[in-house]
Amino acid sequence: MERSELISQLKNDVIECLNLAGTSPNDLDENAPLFGDGGLGLDSIDALELVVMLEKKYSLTIEDKSDAKTLFASISSMADSILALKK
Amino acid sequence: MIRTPAIIALSAVACGGKGADENWKYLSGDSLAFAPQKRFRSPKYASKLCASFDMQGNSHRRPLCNWASLSALEDCIKQAPLTPFSKERIGVFAGTSVGNILESENALEDMLDKGDDCAEYKNFLNYECSSLSDAIARKARAEGPRFAVSTACSSSGLALSAACSALLCGDIDSAIVCGADTLSRITVNGFASLELLSKSACKPFDADRDGITLGEAACVMILTRADLAHKFGIKIRAFITSWSCTCDAYHATSPHPDAEGMKRAIGSAIKKSGLPASDIAYYCAHGTGTRANDSAEVAAMVSAWENPPKFSSIKGKFGHTLGASGLLNAIFSCEAIERGELPKNYGFSKRDENLGITPIAENTPFNANNVLTSSFGFGGNNSSLVISKKPTPCLFPEKGPSEIFLDGGGAVHNGAIGVENVLGGIGVNLECDISKLLPELPPIKKRRWAKLQQMALQSVSEALAGYCPDPENSCVSFGTGLGMLECTQRFVANVISKAECEALPTAFTNSVHNAISSSIAIRFAIKGLNCMLSAKELSFECALWQAILEMRSDGIEKAIVGSCDERTPLLSKIRNCALSFADNSIPLSETSAAYLASSTRSPRSFARLKLLNIESCRRDCACEAERIKHLIDNAKIPEISSVFCPFSYNRAQRNYLSSLFKALKLPLCEFYERRFGANYSISALAPILARERGKGFHLSYTKSSTGQRAVSIWEIF
């Protein structure tokens, strides 16, 4: 899968997983930080939700789930992690 | 005469045994009772260590939480019989996070396996937290007010504080406080989904701590006031010198990183005790063994004391007993004072340099007067208490305001949003449309709020109408009969049908009752007490009472009070054969109504509460009429212009109520069930309905399906 295609798919996944009904994929900047200030402002519970989604949908296994927050800094880096693991 | 609340009996059923003695011996000994749990089939967590109590003797297979609590109650009544107190002056304050939910889970599992029937529906209803306070009251024949606080892990800390405030204010003479929780699919899977369960056994305050071990406990304490104990010649075990409840108003699960709310709870408990901090010589910690809790708690200790006292957590031995943990801590604090020994912090072996201080690693002789204990829960819900061997003059204001004013009201009822629409019937026959709630907020802010939370937030937002209460001088006290029913049902059904493989963290954090009150605190920055309680049809009235107690005992100026309940398809099915409220022909509805209550009258005030009395309803109509006449006369109400009740129930109840009001020579009672349908929070509409009727005094009479009733009189300006 192309990186850009994966990114747009991930935007939809994030919207569904985090219950952001009313948000359009275009509203999400793939390079903006997901956590902390200046981006979506997600927190540790969202990180755990995203881990469950990625495990289920992309068969991604994350050994230390507390690392999820740094691993998935943005939607782009999420896509990169998936592509790297698929290689 | 000293009016300090006094402990006169205590007992616990926990993994160390039955009674305070057995559990103390276990606590100070070297054995560890952690073992894989056997309460339910658990393919994924079969080997997870837990701390269960022995359920031998439960021959009637009663719901576990109630059974263990009744056993502790029996032990307490042997120590201090309740006979000196008149029945309607004995209150019951339970604290539980999930109550008997294990039975509801079993019922759901059976329904998924074999299809549903009435028996399973009845078992499902063990879910109601108030079943615990009802069971205790029935057994103790207590006829005073009762409710169950459900604020996750601080539940029984808040229940104990509420009892102390009620005693201090003179609303009751004796309080039975109960804290209980057992293992359940929801807590095991839920804490696992949040990555909070320890891989082995919990190690509070240790450098290598990696999470909690879940435990079970049922604790009971009987209290009275010191002056009454002397009058009746009852032996006092210890005094509760001060208590304080705060809220971080920060996050649904994590404590504030700077321990802001914990600091305020501990600091204010010390301040209210009137003692120099150095006189409090032991801190019985919450100490769960998670990275976040223990470091925040140490930060709070270091800020409260220049030199923190000796401290330890009992959770290395008993696990985290969730809603019971606050009372279990209080029991061991009292035992430590009496026995002159402090329990070691089992599980601690390696100093955490980041914490900087270490708990006591050995049992230590203790000869001091005061200890402080805390419990903290989801939603940044904090409770701290000072327990003392000798009484100190109570520094709480003796008499605060005894009346409260309502400055604003808000409501969501079915599809009707806003008081005007609710009263006008616009949308009342429609389903609640979640997309129409909180239109001022973007999706990212609302992402974690389920329907009931959004209904509650919408009603609070209307009640505040842009007003921002002073964060530290205001509190939240909300009622609910069934809490976050839809989320809980979905979480449990998911866990059961998917063999525990799909437990979602948000669904878990949303399943606790106080997901509602803490979202209010976070949204509107309310940092005082954050109480969520459950009392069937009287949930609103009890929440109102709790808010008044907080204002009177703590000098708090503003309170957000209300009550909310939702309907779900399962509840509609259950209703027909197992729920007793209202006439079955009345449709089930969903409601949230909220008010901004104030201790002083302002130009915004539209109502004054002239009377609130919650007791068991007298079976004999003439006795009940006499009692209510007495209350009305005492409150000096000149003339009552209208009387209304939410439910008419059945013919017998209707006859009872009409004879009652006839005997009192009051106007004909209006039942509003035809207009608003039935749910546990419907009486929260009473002040709005009183305002609709106009200037004058309006009497609202709510009767619960378990024999309690509340009389409130609202004066509309």
Side-chain angles (χ1 to χ4, degrees):
Chain A
M1 192 190 290
E2 285 289 318
R3 186 169 183 271
S4 59
E5 202 185 322
L6 179 60
I7 285 178
S8 86
Q9 194 178 309
L10 277 169
K11 285 183 179 178
N12 283 312
D13 292 335
V14 167
I15 288 170
E16 200 200 321
C17 171
L18 301 183
N19 187 29
L20 300 176
T23 307
S24 122
N26 294 331
D27 296 342
L28 299 180
D29 174 1
E30 64 264 32
N31 297 313
L34 288 171
F35 299 93
D37 300 330
L40 267 184
L42 302 184
D43 64 15
S44 55
I45 299 180
D46 298 304
L48 294 165
E49 291 283 352
L50 289 174
V51 166
V52 176
M53 183 272 287
L54 290 167
E55 283 184 343
K56 208 170 113 188
K57 194 150 179 194
Y58 298 92
S59 322
L60 205 67
T61 47
I62 296 137
E63 284 294 304
D64 188 354
K65 290 184 186 171
S66 56
D67 283 348
K69 218 165 160 171
T70 40
L71 221 106
F72 306 123
S74 64
I75 290 178
S76 308
S77 63
M78 221 149 106
D80 293 338
S81 307
I82 293 169
L83 292 171
L85 281 161
K86 289 250 156 109
K87 273 176 193 166
Chain B
M1 199 39 139
I2 284 175
R3 293 167 55 84
T4 313
I7 302 167
I8 55 173
L10 52 83
S11 185
V13 174
C15 71
K18 261 188 182 184
D21 256 353
E22 281 186 22
N23 281 300
W24 178 271
K25 273 184 201 132
Y26 163 74
L27 175 62
S28 52
D30 288 320
S31 65
L32 185 64
F34 291 2
Q37 69 85 19
K38 295 192 180 71
R39 295 276 184 250
F40 54 91
R41 275 196 314 251
S42 176
K44 205 172 168 188
Y45 305 107
S47 60
K48 209 43 125 185
L49 293 181
C50 296
S52 299
F53 55 66
D54 183 358
M55 61 176 287
Q56 226 174 13
N58 185 10
S59 46
H60 296 290
R61 301 199 51 78
R62 300 179 89 135
L64 212 48
C65 229
N66 287 6
W67 169 77
S69 302
L70 292 177
S71 159
L73 174 67
E74 250 172 72
D75 186 17
C76 281
I77 292 176
K78 273 183 210 148
Q79 298 164 34
L82 292 161
T83 38
F85 309 106
S86 29
K87 287 176 188 172
E88 75 277 3
R89 300 284 297 167
I90 306 172
V92 174
F93 304 79
T96 182
S97 63
V98 292
N100 295 297
I101 203 161
L102 181 63
E103 319 296 324
S104 314
E105 294 173 348
N106 293 341
L108 264 180
E109 191 172 51
D110 286 351
M111 283 185 225
L112 288 172
D113 281 359
K114 302 179 238 161
D116 25 349
D117 65 31
C118 254
E120 296 305 341
Y121 287 156
K122 283 193 177 122
N123 285 336
F124 179 80
L125 280 184
N126 282 304
Y127 167 79
E128 281 180 56
C129 289
S130 54
S131 110
L132 184 59
S133 35
D134 286 340
I136 295 271
R138 207 176 308 126
K139 177 92 178 176
R141 296 173 200 274
E143 297 182 358
R146 61 180 188 244
F147 56 75
V149 176
S150 189
T151 56
C153 307
S154 59
S155 300
S156 58
L158 260 69
L160 182 52
S161 301
C164 290
S165 297
L167 285 166
L168 185 73
C169 291
D171 286 11
I172 50 169
D173 292 338
S174 175
I176 305 173
V177 184
C178 169
D181 261 313
T182 69
L183 294 172
S184 66
R185 293 167 185 81
I186 197 158
T187 46
V188 171
N189 284 275
F191 281 101
S193 80
L194 290 172
E195 305 281 314
L196 287 177
L197 291 185
S198 167
K199 289 188 179 70
S200 49
C202 68
K203 302 182 192 73
F205 301 107
D206 188 274
D208 297 329
R209 66 186 185 278
D210 69 344
I212 65 172
T213 297
L214 284 170
E216 296 182 324
C219 311
V220 174
M221 209 178 238
I222 301 180
L223 298 106
T224 182
R225 276 198 329 261
D227 54 335
L228 294 169
H230 290 307
K231 180 177 156 194
F232 295 125
I234 305 169
K235 184 179 175 256
I236 294 173
R237 307 277 299 266
F239 299 87
I240 301 195
T241 305
S242 62
W243 53 97
S244 173
C245 301
T246 68
C247 183
D248 290 358
Y250 168 74
H251 189 262
T253 56
S254 307
H256 191 284
D258 299 329
E260 193 274 328
M262 294 180 183
K263 281 178 190 167
R264 270 187 297 118
I266 297 174
S268 145
I270 296 176
K271 196 172 155 213
K272 286 180 197 166
S273 73
L275 299 161
S278 55
D279 274 14
I280 296 166
Y282 169 61
Y283 177 65
C284 186
H286 186 54
T288 58
T290 65
R291 307 292 314 173
N293 175 80
D294 293 5
S295 62
E297 192 168 9
V298 164
M301 283 168 64
V302 171
S303 124
W305 285 278
E306 220 164 292
N307 296 304
K310 292 189 177 74
F311 71 99
S312 59
S313 160
I314 61 159
K315 293 193 175 55
K317 275 278 187 160
F318 288 91
H320 192 347
T321 57
L322 306 180
S325 65
L327 200 57
L328 193 59
N329 266 13
I331 286 176
F332 285 127
S333 298
C334 184
E335 290 284 322
I337 292 173
E338 284 184 306
R339 290 167 191 266
E341 188 179 72
L342 300 179
K344 64 187 168 211
N345 189 112
Y346 194 91
F348 170 83
S349 59
K350 192 167 151 196
R351 181 187 164 89
D352 182 344
E353 294 304 331
N354 296 321
L355 296 182
I357 53 175
T358 54
I360 48 173
E362 293 302 328
N363 297 329
T364 308
F366 180 67
N367 184 22
N369 196 24
N370 309 292
V371 308
L372 195 146
T373 179
S374 294
S375 55
F376 310 123
F378 276 179
N381 203 306
N382 314 302
S383 146
S384 296
L385 301 115
V386 173
I387 301 179
S388 310
K389 181 157 58 179
K390 288 184 228 131
T392 32
C394 199
L395 282 192
F396 286 85
E398 186 142 317
K399 261 204 178 143
S402 51
E403 25 184 47
I404 64 160
F405 300 87
L406 297 186
D407 288 357
V412 177
H413 177 77
N414 295 345
I417 301 169
V419 173
E420 225 182 284
N421 289 340
V422 171
L423 293 177
I426 300 160
V428 163
N429 296 324
L430 303 173
E431 290 290 316
C432 174
D433 180 355
I434 189 168
S435 69
K436 295 213 171 96
L437 299 172
L438 307 171
E440 69 277 18
L441 294 178
I444 187 79
K445 289 267 180 219
K446 295 193 270 189
R447 71 189 185 282
R448 212 169 281 149
W449 296 330
K451 180 175 73 179
L452 190 57
Q453 281 160 300
Q454 295 209 24
M455 286 173 68
L457 286 163
Q458 176 72 47
S459 60
V460 173
S461 174
E462 186 187 3
L464 287 172
Y467 175 82
C468 299
D470 172 12
E472 290 179 29
N473 211 349
S474 41
C475 66
V476 177
S477 179
F478 235 73
T480 182
L482 295 162
M484 299 287 284
L485 186 60
E486 201 266 334
C487 286
T488 310
Q489 234 172 269
R490 194 156 35 99
F491 183 90
V492 173
N494 207 28
V495 159
I496 291 170
S497 61
K498 304 214 167 118
E500 302 185 305
C501 287
E502 240 175 75
L504 297 171
T506 307
F508 171 58
T509 57
N510 270 351
S511 71
V512 296
H513 281 36
N514 69 317
I516 301 162
S517 56
S518 61
S519 61
I520 296 172
I522 293 169
R523 170 82 181 97
F524 299 103
I526 312 285
K527 297 187 171 182
L529 167 83
N530 189 272
C531 182
M532 195 80 208
L533 59 83
S534 191
K536 289 195 174 268
E537 289 89 340
L538 305 189
S539 297
F540 172 67
E541 285 84 350
C542 287
L544 196 59
W545 184 47
Q546 164 76 57
I548 297 170
L549 289 176
E550 189 67 5
M551 285 178 163
R552 285 166 69 189
S553 67
D554 205 30
I556 289 270
E557 282 169 8
K558 305 277 178 197
I560 290 175
V561 294
S563 195
C564 60
D565 269 292
E566 64 184 340
R567 63 179 164 204
T568 69
L570 179 65
L571 190 67
S572 306
K573 282 203 225 171
I574 288 174
R575 199 289 182 87
N576 291 332
C577 61
L579 267 182
S580 43
F581 58 35
D583 198 306
N584 265 353
S585 63
I586 305 297
L588 210 56
S589 57
E590 48 192 356
T591 305
S592 176
Y595 302 90
L596 171 62
S598 179
S599 57
T600 49
R601 188 171 171 174
S602 76
R604 286 172 53 128
S605 307
F606 70 88
R608 179 203 329 247
L609 181 64
K610 291 291 288 181
L611 168 75
L612 174 65
N613 178 271
I614 306 167
E615 280 171 7
S616 291
C617 182
R618 280 128 184 99
R619 208 165 273 174
D620 180 76
C621 195
C623 293
E624 177 73 358
E626 201 176 307
R627 174 67 180 154
I628 292 175
K629 183 171 184 316
H630 173 78
L631 292 169
I632 294 174
D633 289 349
N634 262 5
K636 299 190 175 64
I637 315 280
E639 193 194 352
I640 288 180
S641 30
S642 77
V643 175
F644 43 95
C645 297
F647 308 121
S648 60
Y649 294 96
N650 46 36
R651 184 178 292 271
Q653 286 294 336
R654 265 192 299 275
N655 288 343
Y656 178 97
L657 291 169
S658 62
S659 331
L660 174 68
F661 297 119
K662 207 167 165 188
L664 286 163
K665 301 192 179 67
L666 289 178
L668 204 63
C669 175
E670 295 170 48
F671 297 105
Y672 47 96
E673 61 192 355
R674 296 269 163 213
R675 193 170 165 198
F676 295 111
N679 67 62
Y680 280 146
S681 286
I682 208 83
S683 65
L685 293 171
I688 295 172
L689 293 172
R691 185 167 59 176
E692 190 187 32
R693 281 162 175 76
K695 209 171 159 197
F697 296 89
H698 306 274
L699 186 146
S700 161
Y701 187 96
T702 313
K703 202 169 168 182
S704 86
S705 38
T706 44
Q708 290 278 98
R709 64 104 180 100
V711 187
S712 6
I713 296 178
W714 293 98
E715 179 189 6
I716 301 295
F717 304 133

